[in-house]
Amino acid sequence: MSIQTPLNKVRGLGSAQEGVGHFWHQRVTAVALVPLVLWFLVSLYHHIGDPYQEVVEWLGKPTTAIPLLFLILAGFYHMKLGMQVVVEDYVQKDSSKIILLLLNNLVAIGLGVVCVYAVLKLSFGV
Amino acid sequence: MSESNQKATRPLSPHLQIYRWPVTMITSITHRATGVGNYIGTFFLAWWLLAAAMGQKAYETFQAVAGSPIGLIVLFGYTWSLIYHLCNGVRHLTWDVGAGFKNATAETTGAFVIIISLALTLFVWVVGVAGMGGGQ
């Protein structure tokens, strides 16, 4: 017997109110990252060893900056989700787990903001 | 008194080191390890982008570190980690749509991922570094 209302059963969000959200976001970002990482590796490959001026010019172009911003957003979210699972799997002590999960968010959001700032600065030259 | 200090004398079930490592086990734990590797690698990526945005001097510092022996080793590892996680990630996505679950298929695709990731990494480095040498 269940005390769940039919509506809650249908939503299937469980006790954490998240349901399959984590799993699904991991997959959506994974699919997005396949072409983005491929693009990034190929373009990086073409610019290995370029002098500073050329690198800056290349990074500031819309055709570089826009896919790069997508890569940063999808990539940092994907890695935040992944590291969260690693911490949840291996760290058993509650206090350490909570601290590491907070740190994980801090690193992902922090580095993400740094990268976005850098790309915008390279694009608009403020 | 807590019992946690006592060593168990009863027989325990065998742990990881007892088992033969099938390809699927190697690719699985390597996927997680490269995921963590990519996580660490993003610090390098962020530094690179920020250095480019901050100016020539900051960028030269980055280049000096990236071009040092340790920097090159880290970058080589990051390249392979990224390519492996990408290839094996596609393998995981095919599983997500329900394909490739037969034991033999999973072992074949696993071996393929290992070989192709190493080959692509070597290609990027051998041809990439050779191209850089020619360009300078």
Side-chain angles (χ1 to χ4, degrees):
Chain A
M1 201 192 82
S2 165
I3 56 164
Q4 268 188 317
T5 63
L7 181 62
N8 258 335
K9 211 168 212 168
V10 164
R11 285 184 177 147
L13 291 179
S15 58
Q17 303 300 313
E18 283 186 357
V20 293
H22 184 287
F23 175 93
W24 182 244
H25 289 179
Q26 184 93 55
R27 266 60 187 181
V28 170
T29 49
V31 170
L33 282 168
V34 172
L36 288 170
V37 172
L38 270 175
W39 161 80
F40 183 63
L41 284 171
V42 171
S43 9
L44 207 57
Y45 172 82
H46 284 295
H47 289 87
I48 298 174
D50 273 6
Y52 175 72
Q53 276 311 323
E54 279 179 39
V55 172
V56 167
E57 222 168 89
W58 164 58
L59 286 174
K61 277 194 302 190
T63 45
T64 315
I66 291 169
L68 199 52
L69 285 171
F70 277 119
L71 175 71
I72 290 163
L73 293 178
F76 279 96
Y77 189 39
H78 186 80
M79 89 178 199
K80 179 259 166 194
L81 292 170
M83 185 57 87
Q84 183 188 338
V85 176
V86 173
V87 170
E88 286 167 351
D89 279 359
Y90 300 135
V91 182
Q92 271 154 34
K93 208 174 138 204
D94 271 346
S95 53
S96 320
K97 187 190 289 189
I98 290 168
I99 290 169
L100 284 173
L101 289 176
L102 285 172
L103 210 59
N104 178 37
N105 285 323
L106 191 72
V107 168
I109 296 172
L111 281 186
V113 168
V114 167
C115 288
V116 168
Y117 166 79
V119 174
L120 293 181
K121 187 165 188 291
L122 285 160
S123 297
F124 304 120
V126 196
Chain B
M1 277 285 275
S2 154
E3 283 178 49
S4 58
N5 293 331
Q6 290 176 338
K7 214 169 177 187
T9 47
R10 64 197 152 73
L12 295 169
S13 59
H15 201 43
L16 280 176
Q17 67 269 26
I18 292 294
Y19 299 103
R20 179 181 60 88
W21 278 62
V23 178
T24 43
M25 200 157 132
I26 297 167
T27 48
S28 174
I29 193 60
T30 309
H31 194 70
R32 181 163 278 201
T34 52
V36 174
N38 293 344
Y39 193 101
I40 297 164
T42 52
F43 282 87
F44 227 68
L45 179 79
W47 183 16
W48 171 62
L49 282 174
L50 193 63
M54 294 325 282
Q56 185 147 12
K57 217 167 163 238
Y59 197 73
E60 276 165 8
T61 311
F62 171 82
Q63 275 182 314
V65 175
S68 72
I70 294 173
L72 288 174
I73 291 169
V74 169
L75 279 178
F76 184 84
Y78 187 25
T79 313
W80 174 73
S81 181
L82 211 56
I83 291 177
Y84 176 90
H85 202 82
L86 174 69
C87 295
N88 203 51
V90 172
R91 182 161 164 257
H92 270 275
L93 288 173
T94 61
W95 285 335
D96 286 338
V97 296
F101 271 118
K102 284 211 171 79
N103 283 351
T105 315
E107 299 224 331
T108 310
T109 53
F112 183 71
V113 161
I114 295 172
I115 293 165
I116 201 80
S117 68
L118 289 171
L120 281 175
T121 308
L122 284 176
F123 175 81
V124 167
W125 275 74
V126 172
V127 182
V129 170
M132 186 177 79
Q136 278 178 340

